[in-house]
């Protein structure tokens, strides 16, 4: 028997596998495919204070080993999420829930957190969405901007606070350290990389927004590198996210320094991705002679 | 929604750049107008396709080569095993048709109307098909439709088959108690204006997942944002805003 449990910011997870925000909705659709209770946790769809339609379509483009999205945080708003979506999720999912919150102003983030935090076990602060103007990534691309949001949200957040960072920066370590100093309990790495594709026949960008977030297996090495750098520099847990599609990828992320691992785009092409990863994890651990998953966190010097 | 393996038993050209793929496997009875998501080896995202026909353990897809993914599909050999998610979307409401239904299709949008016409015939409903194409050599399933529809009117942009012009220009004298339509957005918009009863329109969209979690295919309706893949692809005529 192998031990797959991990402790994420004081919250015990039966395994480190977490569907990433925006690739799993609020769980209802995926529960038609399998029993969600086998997951470590779920990071629910990014939530803003007010309901959002999101960006114009097309919002999806494909590329080699990955995809672009410019969804733009479509969500029914914090009140609806807190009152309807999370209680519904709790009925079909009995593991810890991560609430992912986003905003366009510091006040917006705070108000959103006030509504969502009481309903979830961990809050994930999204300051890295590349698809909305004056929001998300605007805060996450400077150390000062990141620290300001984290501090403001920290004051109203009585749950463990993860901060999800953008890879579209020069110095990820400086931003992560600023978040740690401002009171973050953990760092999620990475949100999507800003990318673009063009339809050659139409001579137009494929995405209506022109640019969008690049994700999928192609970004795995970038995410892994950032997880490694940040986990070495900070003293708070790191959640690895980016291009994960197999149990081996989970182990690799953890060796690089991740305490838990989020699975994103793979959920959109294989609805059973997270289930397969969870089920394959013990065999992969046996094969690699890992009896306790926490033993390998950050073993790379 | 069901993720199954299916085997290619036929994959042949039936019109200009249009192919018919027959698949066999453990597929349940599918609602007309629902769709499938096919995994194409070498491509990251699945491809959504309407279902042209289903029978016991059998699925017929009509697809057009429009990009690299569909170009790869036309070379799928007989015997190849495919990963398919079936039973996606809401589908047409067949039960609402009482005596006569009007089916309006444009281009590839004609494909799912075949399964619908078969289902309507089983219920004893008379179907009139109005199908629009660019040219005669784009037309597919001509004989199959002839077997299940009481009347068929073709319209082609070049006049090479049926009336020359738009499919929506020939609806005036047809009697029907409801209509169903599938095709390009400009055609659906014209259908909305040219029909005099409630009816259903099936939309096409660029999708990420096809099962409602990525929010890639959302449209704005009179009752708020709806996902084409989940609340759709079939919408009520009154729901759509353009």
């Amino acid at each position: 028997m192998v031990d797959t449990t991990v402790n994420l910011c004081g919250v015990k997870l039966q395994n480190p596998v977490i569907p990433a925000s925006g690739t799993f909705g609020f769980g209802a659709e995926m529960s038609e495919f399998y029993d969600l209770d086998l997951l470590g946790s779920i990071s629910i769809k990014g939530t803003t204070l007010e309901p959002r339609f999101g960006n114009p379509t097309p919002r999806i483009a494909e590329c080699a080993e990955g995809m672009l999205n410019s969804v733009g945080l479509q969500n029914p708003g914090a009140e609806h999420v807190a009152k309807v979506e999370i209680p519904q999720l709790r009925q079909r999912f009995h593991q810890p829930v991560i609430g992912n919150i986003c905003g366009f102003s510091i006040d917006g983030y705070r108000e959103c957190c006030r509504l969502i935090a009481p309903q979830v076990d961990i809050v994930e602060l999204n300051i890295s969405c590349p698809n909305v103007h004056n929001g998300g990534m605007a805060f996450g691309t400077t150390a000062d901007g990141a620290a300001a949001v984290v501090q403001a949200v920290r004051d109203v957040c009585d749950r463990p606070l993860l901060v999800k960072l953008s890879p579209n920066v020069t110095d990820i370590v400086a931003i992560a350290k600023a978040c740690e100093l401002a009171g973050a309990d953990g760092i999620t790495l990475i949100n999507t990389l800003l990318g673009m594709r063009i339809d050659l026949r139409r001579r137009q960008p494929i995405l209506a927004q022109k640019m969008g977030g690049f994700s999928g297996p192609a970004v795995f090495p970038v995410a892994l590198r950032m997880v490694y750098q940040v986990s070495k520099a900070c003293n708070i847990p790191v959640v690895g996210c980016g291009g994960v599609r197999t149990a081996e990828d989970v182990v690799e992320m953890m060796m690089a320094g991740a305490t838990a691992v989020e699975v994103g785009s793979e959920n959109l092409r294989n609805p059973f991705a997270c289930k397969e990863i969870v089920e394959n994890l013990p065999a992969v651990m046996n094969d690699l002679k890992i009896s306790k998953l926490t033993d390998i966190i950050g073993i790379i010097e | 929604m069901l993720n199954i393996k299916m085997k290619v038993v036929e994959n042949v050209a039936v019109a200009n750049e249009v192919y018919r793929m027959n698949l066999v496997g453990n597929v349940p009875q599918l609602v007309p107008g629902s769709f499938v998501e096919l995994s194409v080896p070498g491509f990251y995202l699945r491809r959504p396709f309407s279902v042209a026909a289903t029978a016991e353990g059998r699925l017929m897809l009509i697809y057009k080569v429009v990009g690299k993914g569909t170009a790869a599909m036309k070379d799928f050999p007989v015997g190849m095993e495919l990963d398919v998610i079936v039973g996606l979307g809401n589908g047409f409401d067949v039960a609402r048709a009482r005596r006569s239904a009007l089916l309006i299709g444009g281009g590839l949008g004609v494909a799912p109307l075949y399964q619908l016409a078969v289902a309507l015939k089983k219920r004893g409903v008379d179907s009139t098909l109005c199908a629009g194409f660019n040219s005669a050599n784009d037309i597919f399933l001509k004989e199959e439709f002839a077997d299940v529809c009481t009347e068929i009117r073709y319209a082609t942009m070049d006049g090479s088959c049926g009336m020359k012009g738009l499919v929506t220009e020939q609806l005036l004298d047809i009697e029907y108690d409801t209509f169903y339509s599938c095709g390009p957005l400009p055609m659906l918009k014209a259908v909305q204006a040219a029909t005099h009863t409630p009816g259903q329109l099936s939309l096409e969209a660029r999708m990420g997942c096809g099962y409602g979690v990525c929010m890639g295919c959302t449209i704005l309706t009179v009752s708020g944002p709806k996902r084409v893949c989940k609340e759709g692809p079939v919408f009520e005529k009154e729901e759509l805003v353009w």
Side-chain angles (χ1 to χ4, degrees), chain A:
Chain A
M1 272 296 280
V2 292
D3 183 358
T4 60
T5 59
V6 298
N7 185 316
L8 180 61
C9 308
V11 178
K12 189 183 168 186
L13 309 183
Q14 61 181 347
N15 64 61
V17 181
I18 306 167
S21 180
T23 65
F24 218 75
F26 297 98
E29 298 80 11
M30 295 307 252
S31 71
E32 292 181 48
F33 287 111
Y34 62 89
D35 181 1
L36 303 183
D37 271 337
L38 58 85
L39 299 166
S41 176
I42 295 174
S43 180
I44 59 174
K45 173 72 188 165
T47 302
T48 51
L49 184 58
E50 302 295 335
R52 278 181 59 81
F53 173 75
N55 289 326
T57 56
R59 299 172 172 181
I60 303 287
E62 192 183 41
C63 58
E65 290 300 305
M67 59 179 285
L68 305 180
N69 89 81
S70 58
V71 170
L73 292 171
Q74 181 190 334
N75 78 92
E79 200 176 309
H80 180 85
V81 170
K83 284 191 179 149
V84 178
E85 299 292 351
I86 299 173
Q88 277 178 9
L89 172 62
R90 294 284 195 190
Q91 284 181 6
R92 51 172 72 92
F93 182 61
H94 309 89
Q95 305 295 333
V97 171
I98 301 176
N100 183 289
I101 61 168
C102 194
F104 304 90
S105 66
I106 286 185
D107 282 347
Y109 271 105
R110 278 167 70 103
E111 286 312 303
C112 189
C113 185
R114 264 192 239 271
L115 291 168
I116 298 296
Q119 307 298 323
V120 297
D121 301 279
I122 296 175
V123 171
E124 185 171 56
L125 186 63
N126 176 358
I127 54 170
S128 44
C129 179
N131 290 324
V132 292
H133 292 294
N134 297 320
M137 206 170 84
F139 292 102
T141 46
T142 66
D144 289 348
V149 189
V150 173
Q151 215 151 34
V153 172
R154 174 79 284 173
D155 286 346
V156 297
C157 183
D158 57 358
R159 295 285 189 268
L161 181 64
L162 295 172
V163 185
K164 187 169 180 178
L165 294 183
S166 169
N168 305 305
V169 297
T170 312
D171 187 353
I172 191 75
V173 169
I175 294 168
K177 275 183 156 171
C179 292
E180 182 179 14
L181 252 169
D185 298 304
I187 305 286
T188 304
L189 294 165
I190 56 178
N191 206 315
T192 53
L193 290 116
L194 195 58
M196 183 167 168
R197 291 301 309 272
I198 292 168
D199 182 328
L200 302 184
R201 290 192 191 284
R202 286 174 49 243
R203 303 187 180 197
Q204 291 290 330
I206 293 176
L207 298 173
Q209 280 302 95
K210 294 185 182 169
M211 292 176 275
F214 172 34
S215 61
V219 312
F220 180 75
V222 179
L224 190 88
R225 182 265 295 180
M226 290 192 170
V227 165
Y228 172 73
Q229 289 178 313
V230 168
S231 66
K232 283 286 173 266
C234 294
N235 294 310
I236 48 176
V238 171
V239 178
C241 177
V244 174
R245 61 186 182 89
T246 64
E248 285 87 348
D249 292 343
V250 170
V251 170
E252 195 171 335
M253 274 288 187
M254 294 184 75
M255 284 184 176
T259 297
V261 177
E262 293 186 0
V263 180
S265 306
E266 199 65 13
N267 291 309
L268 309 183
R269 66 196 298 263
N270 173 12
F272 296 97
C274 287
K275 180 178 195 276
E276 288 169 8
I277 291 172
V278 168
E279 287 172 351
N280 288 338
L281 198 52
V284 169
M285 287 171 67
N286 273 325
D287 183 46
L288 297 168
K289 300 186 170 48
I290 301 164
S291 56
K292 198 170 156 47
L293 208 44
T294 51
D295 288 345
I296 60 156
I297 297 174
I299 57 163
I300 304 302
E301 283 305 315

Side-chain angles (χ1 to χ4, degrees), chain B residues 166-181:
Chain B
L166 297 167
V167 65
T168 45
E169 287 162 10
Q170 52 176 350
L171 309 179
L172 270 180
D173 62 318
I174 303 171
E175 283 190 24
Y176 52 92
D177 52 63
T178 192
F179 76 89
Y180 305 92
S181 185

Side-chain angles (χ1 to χ4, degrees), chain B residues 96 192 197-199 201 221-222 235-241:
Chain B
R96 71 170 59 181
Q192 206 180 24
T197 67
L201 306 170
T221 71
V222 291
F235 293 91
E236 298 299 328
K237 173 184 175 180
E238 303 78 20
E239 274 185 287
L240 297 174
V241 284

Side-chain angles (χ1 to χ4, degrees), chain B residues 44-101:
Chain B
Y44 189 68
L45 295 171
R46 288 171 186 269
R47 265 64 182 162
F49 294 99
S50 66
V51 175
T54 52
E56 272 170 62
R58 219 175 152 90
L59 195 72
M60 186 209 284
L61 307 180
I62 301 284
Y63 65 96
K64 186 172 186 172
V65 174
V66 292
K68 289 177 184 168
T70 40
M73 279 173 61
K74 73 175 170 27
D75 296 324
F76 284 180
V78 167
M80 182 174 172
E81 194 181 69
L82 299 178
D83 185 306
V84 195
I85 302 177
V86 300
L88 296 167
N90 57 350
F92 291 112
D93 174 18
V94 181
R96 71 170 59 181
R98 295 191 303 274
R99 284 181 304 276
S100 55

Side-chain angles (χ1 to χ4, degrees), chain B:
Chain B
M1 298 194 292
L2 200 60
N3 193 185
I4 55 173
K5 302 282 184 209
M6 298 196 79
K7 201 170 263 183
V8 179
V9 289
E10 186 198 47
N11 190 17
V12 294
V14 291
N16 181 29
E17 291 294 297
V18 175
Y19 292 76
R20 181 177 69 216
M21 186 184 283
N22 269 299
L23 301 167
V24 293
N26 192 17
V27 60
Q29 191 57 46
L30 301 174
V31 183
S34 71
F35 70 99
V36 302
E37 281 266 1
L38 193 72
S39 183
V40 181
F43 293 87
Y44 189 68
L45 295 171
R46 288 171 186 269
R47 265 64 182 162
F49 294 99
S50 66
V51 175
T54 52
E56 272 170 62
R58 219 175 152 90
L59 195 72
M60 186 209 284
L61 307 180
I62 301 284
Y63 65 96
K64 186 172 186 172
V65 174
V66 292
K68 289 177 184 168
T70 40
M73 279 173 61
K74 73 175 170 27
D75 296 324
F76 284 180
V78 167
M80 182 174 172
E81 194 181 69
L82 299 178
D83 185 306
V84 195
I85 302 177
V86 300
L88 296 167
N90 57 350
F92 291 112
D93 174 18
V94 181
R96 71 170 59 181
R98 295 191 303 274
R99 284 181 304 276
S100 55
L102 171 61
L103 280 53
I104 312 150
L108 263 284
V110 173
L113 299 181
Y114 178 60
Q115 194 197 350
L116 175 66
V118 171
L120 288 168
K121 191 183 178 182
K122 259 187 204 153
R123 293 180 54 85
V125 175
D126 290 339
S127 296
T128 300
L129 172 72
C130 290
F133 294 91
N134 281 324
S135 178
N137 56 16
D138 296 317
I139 300 174
F140 51 85
L141 297 180
K142 213 170 175 176
E143 287 158 23
E144 288 84 349
F145 272 111
D147 285 342
V148 291
C149 295
T150 38
E151 190 189 349
I152 298 178
R153 298 181 184 187
Y154 286 103
T156 49
M157 294 311 289
D158 65 1
S160 54
C161 179
M163 192 198 78
K164 185 177 194 303
L166 297 167
V167 65
T168 45
E169 287 162 10
Q170 52 176 350
L171 309 179
L172 270 180
D173 62 318
I174 303 171
E175 283 190 24
Y176 52 92
D177 52 63
T178 192
F179 76 89
Y180 305 92
S181 185
C182 183
L185 280 180
M187 186 204 87
L188 294 180
K189 198 173 172 180
V191 165
Q192 206 180 24
T195 48
H196 57 78
T197 67
Q200 293 191 308
L201 306 170
S202 181
L203 267 58
E204 189 179 48
R206 188 178 276 268
M207 293 176 184
C209 63
Y211 35 86
V213 296
C214 77
M215 310 294 153
C217 61
T218 305
I219 58 160
L220 192 60
T221 71
V222 291
S223 46
K226 297 270 171 76
R227 297 161 293 186
V228 172
C229 75
K230 199 70 187 177
E231 284 84 21
V234 177
F235 293 91
E236 298 299 328
K237 173 184 175 180
E238 303 78 20
E239 274 185 287
L240 297 174
V241 284
W242 305 93

